[in-house]
Amino acid sequence: MSVDASRSWYCWCSRLFSSARRAFSRVRVRIRAWSSWRDRAFLIVGRSGAGKSTTAWGLLHHGAGFVSDELAPIDLSSGRVHAFARALCVKSQPPASYPLPGDALRIEDSIHVPVAACPGPSAKGAMAVRGVIFVQH
């Protein structure tokens, strides 16, 4: 896929996700990053620029699963989060020990890593939320 086609696809997906957030505001919760360990979900939270997605990227290199970046559907009656395939977005180059793949897409002030290029397993289905990781940089 060309860079122009990738950017068009990214912009289309961003508009779609923004529309979905508005349409499903009662059942979706805006979040930062999700990671999983042994079929349990962990929410990674912190202020903008704190390193939430970079932390998730590092965890993927150590066997954690990728659930989603920025948003995921949560069943409010059961407290289970559903995996939601969306590119991982980091604002800057991560440490050298956690290199980005060659097909990472650089757009303006962020770098988008396709789900298929993420190391470690991609989470599937719903899983119980077992913890919150607070990140401060």
Side-chain angles (χ1 to χ4, degrees), residues 65-88:
F66 181 67
V67 178
S68 183
D69 192 31
E70 293 194 25
L71 66 131
I74 300 171
D75 182 334
L76 298 178
S77 63
S78 70
R80 296 175 72 79
V81 64
H82 295 261
F84 188 77
R86 181 173 183 193
L88 181 75

Side-chain angles (χ1 to χ4, degrees), residues 15-111:
R15 286 192 301 270
L16 175 68
F17 291 130
S18 294
S19 297
R21 267 184 253 147
R22 285 191 302 274
F24 296 103
S25 61
R26 292 183 189 167
V27 295
R28 292 188 188 263
V29 177
R30 184 162 171 80
I31 60 169
R32 298 287 74 182
W34 284 99
S35 192
S36 68
W37 187 258
R38 298 184 181 160
D39 295 324
R40 293 175 181 92
F42 293 86
L43 172 61
I44 303 171
V45 297
R47 293 181 182 204
S48 179
K52 299 169 295 294
S53 295
T54 302
T55 298
W57 180 247
L59 290 170
L60 293 174
H61 284 82
H62 294 281
F66 181 67
V67 178
S68 183
D69 192 31
E70 293 194 25
L71 66 131
I74 300 171
D75 182 334
L76 298 178
S77 63
S78 70
R80 296 175 72 79
V81 64
H82 295 261
F84 188 77
R86 181 173 183 193
L88 181 75
C89 178
V90 294
K91 293 179 181 167
S92 60
Q93 190 74 26
S97 54
Y98 304 116
L100 292 170
D103 56 351
L105 180 63
R106 293 169 188 345
I107 299 178
E108 296 174 8
D109 60 348
S110 59
I111 306 165

